[in-house]
Amino acid sequence: MPAETQGVISLLPALFAIVLTLVSRQVLLSLFTGIWIGATILVGWNPIGGAAYSLQLVINNVTESFNSKLLLFTFLSGAMLGMIFLSGGMNALAQRIIARIKTRKQAALGTSVLGMLIFVDSYASTMITGSVMRPITDKFDISREKLAYLLDSTTSPVVSVAVVSTWVGFEVGLIREQFASLGIDQSAFVVFLQSIPFRFYSLLAVALVFILVVMDWDFGPMKRAERRAKEEGKVLGDDADPLIETREEDIVTPDHVDSRWWYFAAPIVTLVAVTGFGLLYSGGWPELAPVEALKGAATADAILWGVFSACALLLAILVGHARVQLEAVSDAIFEGFKMVMFPVAVLSLAWTIGGVSQALGVGPFVVSVAEGVITPELLPAVVFLAAAIISFSIGTSWGTMSIMFPVAVPLAYQLGAPLPGAIGAILTGSLFGDHCSPISDTTVLSSMFAGADHVDHVNTQIPYALLSGTVATGLFLADGYGVSTLTVSGYGVGPLALLGVGVLTLFVAAYYLSQHADVSVPNAFGSSSD
């Protein structure tokens, strides 16, 4: 066992926090309890010292540069939402869209497609898609749980494989670093592209969204939530506690304001445009080509510039065009701040417990267990599962990638395993936790901008994530045993053919579960979706 890990005990804080969150539905208390347990272990099992160290750990994580910028982004997002509600622009745009959307299926498809189109950044995609589509999905009685799932499954899974995104620079940089240390003379960016067909989990998660929406299938807790919404008109369960209160009636548009659809559209376009420019400029454009510039982009700075610019434009619109008094604007901004206070607290504690898990050595422990069973044939599947477990435990895909790359890439190289498949397994396995862990920032933001109960979102999404993850594991096993290198009638099978088999398997499994899963069984975690 590596000296830098506490062994199986390293899993205790995150697992305790996750289970307690799902059982008690007390997110903040559960997360802090997990932090306290981890801190107590780190200070030598002294519970008093652990309590003091817990507070220091929270401070350390909140004041870390990237995290503090994301918290400021969240506060400014709240301010922007408050001003948008005051302008009435969201309602005006929603009415124009509703006039063209006639069915629940069209509303769900529109949400999914919009989430995929904003592929530059997962945070921006979640915020924009959730803000635009929430009143529309409410109109067609789509549950908030389903909206949160659509947001979560068309942001990170898409952004992680997009050639132009805030993720590409980090991912290519990790590949380049390992290639340099191993003396591999290959283009890191080319291998990144080659790994995309092997991102089985990411691609299957997106495919499952469209299978479920087009076929109108659901299973497990989500089926109960959707039945409640369709039959009772309740987009939220009776006991639900939305992560953010986004009711527009809390901020009243002045009677004299003639709300325009562009009051909402203009700030959103500004947000996207400034964020995109910020990514390129912070990475060295125009001296560097756009793709090269994105590799070194300052993601947190770019999204911060984007949301600040959107707020500034909204202020100008409200005061200059809509003739709203500054006092009313100030009140709306303050209401927006109040909307995001709880998500800010959740994010702060989620980051901290992820940091505690890393300090206890979750990554080295899982890797040490995985190394004991790795063969060239099993390597892709084992790497995928190890990355999935780590990412679920620490709630960050980037942190998991940083843990896995220095171990898995040299191991794959030594064993002679194909590098694109191994790298694809790392990148898509690392996404699993980012996609569905209760302590992941993107999971929290999906609940936030969907206006959903966070525990309900996790409960309803995990079965879908597990289905995609199970099929992805099977595909990695098939790839490890050489199926992707076989030829049939002179044609190579390849990873895309494997992916096609995976999508078909996903289709059949989703159909079976939608028809035969017993929806009368109470949710094991006490979801309010029942």
Side-chain angles (χ1 to χ4, degrees):
M1 187 81 56
E4 63 269 18
T5 178
Q6 297 279 344
V8 70
I9 292 175
S10 65
L11 295 169
L12 182 61
L15 291 180
F16 186 89
I18 290 170
V19 172
L20 185 60
T21 296
L22 296 174
V23 172
S24 71
R25 304 178 63 81
Q26 300 301 312
V27 179
L28 295 179
L29 180 61
S30 300
L31 289 175
F32 190 80
T33 302
I35 293 168
W36 172 71
I37 291 172
T40 299
I41 297 171
L42 288 171
V43 298
W45 299 93
N46 181 339
I48 304 300
Y53 191 41
S54 297
L55 299 177
Q56 186 60 50
L57 288 171
V58 174
I59 293 171
N60 292 345
N61 278 274
V62 169
T63 55
E64 193 275 326
S65 177
F66 184 92
N67 292 350
S68 61
K69 290 174 182 176
L70 182 56
L71 291 181
L72 182 55
F73 165 81
T74 305
F75 272 117
L76 289 175
S77 297
M80 186 178 75
L81 286 175
M83 288 190 285
I84 286 174
F85 288 171
L86 181 65
S87 74
M90 186 182 295
N91 264 343
L93 180 61
Q95 292 305 316
R96 293 173 70 96
I97 297 176
I98 287 173
R100 292 166 174 78
I101 292 180
K102 306 299 183 183
T103 65
R104 294 179 86 251
K105 184 177 294 186
Q106 289 177 355
L109 279 173
T111 302
S112 306
V113 171
L114 180 59
M116 293 183 66
L117 288 176
I118 308 172
F119 55 78
V120 174
D121 179 72
S122 54
Y123 298 147
S125 177
T126 303
M127 186 189 76
I128 294 169
T129 306
S131 300
V132 171
M133 298 305 296
R134 185 178 56 253
I136 298 167
T137 55
D138 283 356
K139 172 76 174 179
F140 288 95
D141 294 328
I142 294 175
S143 67
R144 292 285 180 84
E145 295 93 326
K146 188 63 171 286
L147 174 59
Y149 162 69
L150 296 177
L151 295 180
D152 218 348
S153 298
T154 55
T155 52
S156 294
V158 174
V159 174
S160 67
V161 299
V163 176
V164 179
S165 75
T166 54
W167 288 49
V168 66
F170 182 74
E171 294 173 323
V172 172
L174 289 173
I175 298 171
R176 182 187 293 117
E177 181 180 347
Q178 291 306 309
F179 281 12
S181 65
L182 294 170
I184 299 174
D185 186 20
Q186 293 187 47
S187 167
F189 187 69
V190 170
V191 175
F192 166 83
L193 295 176
Q194 293 172 341
S195 75
I196 292 177
F198 293 96
R199 311 281 190 92
F200 294 135
Y201 175 77
S202 307
L203 299 173
L204 289 175
V206 176
L208 183 60
V209 166
F210 288 93
I211 290 172
L212 297 175
V213 170
V214 172
M215 303 307 297
D216 196 22
W217 294 340
D218 281 299
F219 55 87
M222 187 70 81
K223 189 166 188 175
R224 294 193 289 273
E226 281 291 271
R227 185 173 61 185
R228 179 202 68 224
K230 284 189 283 189
E231 296 179 359
E232 303 176 37
K234 297 178 180 179
V235 296
L236 285 165
D238 292 333
D239 299 326
D241 183 15
L243 193 56
I244 178 174
E245 291 291 347
T246 54
R247 295 174 300 173
E248 197 163 351
E249 60 266 25
D250 292 341
I251 303 174
V252 179
T253 303
D255 293 336
H256 72 275
V257 174
D258 181 16
S259 298
R260 314 290 180 87
W261 65 270
W262 58 267
Y263 285 2
F264 177 81
I268 294 301
V269 170
T270 299
L271 170 66
V272 174
V274 174
T275 298
F277 175 80
L279 290 170
L280 293 171
Y281 182 78
S282 65
W285 181 84
E287 287 79 11
L288 297 177
V291 172
E292 289 297 319
L294 285 171
K295 296 176 185 178
T299 302
D301 291 337
I303 62 174
L304 200 54
W305 297 340
V307 72
F308 181 79
S309 300
C311 286
L313 178 60
L314 262 170
L315 179 61
I317 289 173
L318 285 169
V319 176
H321 192 273
R323 304 296 180 184
V324 177
Q325 295 295 318
L326 278 174
E327 182 179 358
V329 177
S330 180
D331 290 342
I333 291 173
F334 184 70
E335 288 296 324
F337 286 159
K338 290 198 295 185
M339 290 179 195
V340 299
M341 285 301 297
F342 186 65
V344 163
V346 174
L347 279 173
S348 301
L349 295 184
W351 287 327
T352 304
I353 197 167
V356 167
S357 297
Q358 287 183 276
L360 289 170
V362 166
F365 168 68
V366 174
V367 168
S368 69
V369 173
E371 284 180 331
V373 297
I374 286 182
T375 64
E377 294 78 17
L378 291 175
L379 183 135
V382 172
V383 166
F384 168 73
L385 291 173
I389 293 170
I390 294 171
S391 62
F392 191 83
S393 300
I394 68 176
T396 166
S397 53
W398 286 24
T400 303
M401 293 174 197
S402 299
I403 292 169
M404 290 296 297
F405 260 88
V407 176
V409 173
L411 185 60
Y413 183 64
Q414 292 167 8
L415 292 175
L419 291 178
I423 289 172
I426 297 171
L427 296 176
T428 197
S430 298
L431 183 78
F432 179 86
D434 200 35
H435 183 210
C436 64
S437 172
I439 60 176
S440 161
D441 51 4
T442 48
T443 307
V444 172
L445 290 174
S446 294
S447 299
M448 172 181 167
F449 287 107
D453 183 293
H454 186 54
V455 176
D456 286 348
H457 169 42
V458 174
N459 277 331
T460 51
Q461 179 159 282
I462 281 180
Y464 293 172
L466 289 176
L467 174 58
S468 298
T470 300
V471 176
T473 303
L475 297 185
F476 279 118
L477 283 171
D479 176 59
Y481 280 94
V483 174
S484 62
T485 62
L486 296 177
T487 59
V488 179
S489 299
Y491 295 95
V493 174
L496 290 178
L498 273 181
L499 185 63
V501 173
V503 172
L504 180 60
T505 304
L506 207 61
F507 185 91
V508 173
Y511 171 75
Y512 178 84
L513 291 170
S514 69
Q515 299 299 311
H516 300 286
D518 185 0
V519 299
S520 65
V521 177
N523 190 338
F525 297 121
S527 168
S528 68
S529 299
D530 296 331

